Amino acid sequence: MCTPVNRILGGRRYYSGAMVFSSPGRPVRLEAFGIVLREYMPRDEPDLLLAFADEEIARWNPGPPGPDAVAEFVRLRNDWSGNDHASWVMADASDRLVGSVSLHKIDVDQADAEVGYWVAPWARRKGHATAAVRAASRFGFGQLGLHRLQLYHAADNPGSCAVASAAGFVHEGTLRKSFRYADGVYHDEHLHGLLAADIGPSGAMRGEPGRADC
């Protein structure tokens, strides 16, 4: 990989060369940590409608309303051609949708991205989200060449905090009133980060992950 030439612009350092490999045009199937990450299928649409009607998902990760909007959601999640996201269905051993995970806001210049996830109400507290975040993170580092992943969640959402910590993300701070969620309220958020250097050659974490006071 060539060494990019840096330049200073607007008080920050930017790089003229992209640091991220081009992503494939459609979802890559992953099987790791007891979970399957795959593309969205038309048969997933009824489960998506059920999930988006769930109170917790509607509060923290609202989805599009109505069957037509869900079909468009599926199409967009399966289209990776813009190199700005990598999104998957979390599926269990029966191949039923149990949640969603994505690497989004991929910045090819800075080689970083954000992680997002939710778990359907019929599949919670089984470790699916932690497994999916770990698998997606390793794909981001190993296949997309990312340097850093960051994960934000409302401080009032302890379940999401527990997933971040269990997946190896280090709590890096609290952002005050940083995001207005679907309830119309600006919530404090926890910021968690994970670096490619935090993961050893075998895929094991180096050291102990930091934990937030959730």
Side-chain angles (χ1 to χ4, degrees):
M1 181 173 66
C2 64
T3 301
V5 177
N6 66 65
R7 66 186 187 274
I8 301 298
L9 181 64
R12 292 192 64 183
R13 178 168 294 178
Y14 291 83
Y15 295 84
S16 58
M19 301 290 289
V20 190
F21 302 121
S22 293
S23 67
R26 293 189 62 83
V28 174
R29 183 182 176 91
L30 304 176
E31 297 184 32
F33 309 111
I35 196 78
V36 174
L37 303 187
R38 59 163 174 80
E39 67 180 333
Y40 287 80
M41 306 286 192
R43 67 173 184 270
D44 297 319
E45 292 181 19
D47 279 338
L48 285 170
L49 285 169
L50 288 174
F52 292 149
D54 175 70
E55 181 177 348
E56 285 297 299
I57 291 175
R59 183 183 186 193
W60 303 122
N61 297 281
D68 292 341
V70 166
E72 179 66 3
F73 171 89
V74 166
R75 185 189 71 80
L76 291 173
R77 288 299 177 102
N78 283 340
D79 181 5
W80 291 13
S81 61
N83 286 345
D84 58 349
H85 78 100
S87 304
W88 297 268
V89 164
M90 295 182 207
D92 63 12
S94 71
D95 205 36
R96 184 183 181 184
L97 179 149
V98 295
S100 170
V101 65
S102 67
L103 308 177
H104 57 277
K105 296 184 180 177
I106 295 175
D107 186 330
V108 298
D109 187 72
Q110 295 296 317
D112 62 21
E114 294 182 20
V115 181
Y117 50 89
W118 53 260
V119 179
W122 56 85
R124 289 176 182 149
R125 298 176 182 86
K126 296 182 180 180
H128 294 321
T130 298
V133 170
R134 292 173 67 195
S137 298
R138 282 150 182 75
F139 178 86
F141 293 138
Q143 301 301 315
L144 299 183
L146 296 175
H147 155 72
R148 172 183 164 85
L149 294 172
Q150 48 246 1
L151 188 160
Y152 301 86
H153 67 82
D156 296 334
N157 187 356
S160 192
C161 191
V163 169
S165 294
F169 282 69
V170 176
H171 177 236
E172 297 179 340
T174 298
L175 310 177
R176 298 180 302 153
K177 307 299 181 186
S178 63
F179 192 81
R180 187 178 68 245
Y181 283 83
D183 58 6
V185 176
Y186 283 95
H187 288 261
D188 291 353
E189 289 189 299
H190 289 166
L191 168 61
H192 301 254
L194 185 67
L195 304 178
D198 293 332
I199 300 177
S202 66
M205 292 298 302
R206 299 184 189 275
E208 292 294 324
R211 293 190 177 274
D213 183 9
C214 296

